[in-house]
């Protein structure tokens, strides 16, 4: 399939039903406040080594993110302070386990930046400070580490305004790369609207020294309106063309295990085979 890198959306989630997380009383028992990643992370790393892939490790995911960031700025700051502690605790463990391994490609911050929440200047100030503190902490653990953050648009902020916001965050946080989710799987945006945001980001992000990569959404809303199903290869081919036009070939798929591999079911197997056929004919398409 031509895949070179695995991006783990997160290596630890704060819901006890999924993975164990240190409670405040247990933190006192653990030297240096270490937090262990999910056991499956080791399995993924071992598989990546075997196949010559790199891994970008997602930091702590907190399912309360979307709820908490809607609060007034003071409460947002309290939430971000707690999240920062979890993120750096996990990062410390990840660096100790994998930091010297060739498989280690850096960190991914799983808290996605949208174009609506941070229009509020006071909230944005808290987020800017949080990212700066987080990236400073990550580089204390690993000075040359790459750090990625992702974003998406819903049409609430204009493309130029959103691109300026993301460029400011990338600069203040010394972010290595910004990932733009194209929004065509969720149908938040029309293709022309997504292209307008991408074009604006392609102008602003490189000026900060960060790379821009596009996340191509490989899913579509289910016919019954409940959840998502694999998208058509025809639609994805258009997304790939758009991504390449504005940001080059270093494209991210979201998500292969869920929508673009036989393990996800018969519809995903159809898309998988269509994608392999697309790759075989790609040289001819590029010449047209």
């Amino acid at each position: 399939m031509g895949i070179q890198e695995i991006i783990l959306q997160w290596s630890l989630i704060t819901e006890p039903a999924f993975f164990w997380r240190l409670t405040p009383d247990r933190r006192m028992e653990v030297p240096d406040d270490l937090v262990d990643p999910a056991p499956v992370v080791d399995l993924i790393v071992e598989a990546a080594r075997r196949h010559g892939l790199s891994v970008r490790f997602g930091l702590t995911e907190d399912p309360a993110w979307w709820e908490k960031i809607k609060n007034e700025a003071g409460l947002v700051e309290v939430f971000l302070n707690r999240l920062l502690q979890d993120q750096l605790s996990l990062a410390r463990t990840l660096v100790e386990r994998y930091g010297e391994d060739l498989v280690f490609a850096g960190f991914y911050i799983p808290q996605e930046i949208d174009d609506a929440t941070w229009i509020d200047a006071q909230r944005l100030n808290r987020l800017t400070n949080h990212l700066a503190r987080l990236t400073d902490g990550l580089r204390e653990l690993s000075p040359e580490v790459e750090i990625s953050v992702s974003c998406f648009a819903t049409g609430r902020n204009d493309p130029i305004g959103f691109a300026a916001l993301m460029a400011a965050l990338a600069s203040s946080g010394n972010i290595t790369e910004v990932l733009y989710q194209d929004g065509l799987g969720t149908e938040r945006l029309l293709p022309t609207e997504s292209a307008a945001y991408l074009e604006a980001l392609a102008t602003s992000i490189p000026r900060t020294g960060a790379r821009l990569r596009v996340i191509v959404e490989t899913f579509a809303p289910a016919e019954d309106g409940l959840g998502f199903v694999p998208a058509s290869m025809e639609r994805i081919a258009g997304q790939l063309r758009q991504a390449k036009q504005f940001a080059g070939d270093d494209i991210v798929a979201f998500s292969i295990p869920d929508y673009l591999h036989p393990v996800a079911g018969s519809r995903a197997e159809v898309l998988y085979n269509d994608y392999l056929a697309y790759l075989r004919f790609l040289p001819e398409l590029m010449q047209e």
Side-chain angles (χ1 to χ4, degrees), residues 10-14 19-22 35-38 41 58-62 86 90 110:
W10 56 75
S11 301
L12 177 75
I13 194 166
T14 59
F19 306 122
W20 174 71
R21 174 178 180 242
L22 287 179
V35 177
D36 286 327
V41 173
L59 295 176
T60 309
E61 166 70 353
D62 192 324
D86 284 349
L90 173 63

Side-chain angles (χ1 to χ4, degrees), residues 45 109 130 158 176 185 224 244:
V45 170
I109 300 171
H130 169 74
D158 68 276
T176 311
D224 60 6
K244 178 179 174 60

Side-chain angles (χ1 to χ4, degrees), residues 15 36 40 70 78 93 109 115-116 118 122 139 167 190 207 219 247 254 284:
E15 290 183 355
D36 286 327
V40 73
K70 295 176 184 177
V78 171
T93 306
I109 300 171
D115 67 331
W118 311 104
Q122 291 187 330
R139 291 204 164 92
L190 297 173
R207 293 173 181 167
F219 51 86
F254 183 75
E284 296 178 20

Side-chain angles (χ1 to χ4, degrees), residues 133-180:
R133 293 169 63 198
L134 175 57
T135 54
D136 284 348
L138 294 176
R139 291 204 164 92
E140 285 181 14
L141 298 171
S142 180
E144 303 301 321
V145 71
E146 292 209 345
I147 302 171
S148 305
V149 67
S150 70
C151 64
F152 66 88
T154 62
R156 295 288 300 278
N157 195 350
D158 68 276
I160 293 176
F162 184 52
L165 183 152
M166 290 306 305
L169 290 174
S171 275
S172 62
N174 197 16
I175 300 294
T176 311
E177 69 176 23
V178 173
L179 308 178
Y180 168 67

Side-chain angles (χ1 to χ4, degrees), residues 13-149:
I13 194 166
T14 59
E15 290 183 355
F18 286 86
F19 306 122
W20 174 71
R21 174 178 180 242
L22 287 179
T23 57
D25 58 313
R26 288 296 308 280
R27 286 184 185 281
M28 301 299 293
E29 303 172 19
V30 179
D32 300 320
D33 196 28
L34 294 178
V35 177
D36 286 327
V40 73
V41 173
D42 274 337
L43 300 178
I44 292 171
V45 170
E46 290 169 10
R49 286 195 195 106
R50 290 198 303 271
H51 294 281
L53 303 175
S54 62
V55 179
R56 196 169 295 261
F57 294 86
L59 295 176
T60 309
E61 166 70 353
D62 192 324
W65 168 259
W66 295 111
E67 173 192 350
K68 298 295 186 182
I69 62 175
K70 295 176 184 177
N71 289 328
E72 59 92 11
L75 293 176
V76 171
E77 183 173 6
V78 171
F79 169 70
L80 291 177
N81 285 339
R82 181 179 66 76
L83 179 62
L84 178 70
Q85 178 182 346
D86 284 349
Q87 290 171 320
L88 292 178
S89 298
L90 173 63
R92 189 178 294 112
T93 306
L94 292 170
V95 169
E96 288 190 1
R97 290 191 183 184
Y98 313 116
E100 300 300 319
D101 198 310
L102 292 177
V103 81
F104 186 80
F107 290 118
Y108 169 74
I109 300 171
Q111 286 71 42
E112 301 163 355
I113 311 301
D114 68 290
D115 67 331
T117 306
W118 311 104
I119 293 176
D120 180 272
Q122 291 187 330
R123 281 202 203 111
L124 177 59
N125 177 260
R126 268 56 172 197
L127 177 65
T128 301
N129 291 338
H130 169 74
L131 287 177
R133 293 169 63 198
L134 175 57
T135 54
D136 284 348
L138 294 176
R139 291 204 164 92
E140 285 181 14
L141 298 171
S142 180
E144 303 301 321
V145 71
E146 292 209 345
I147 302 171
S148 305
V149 67

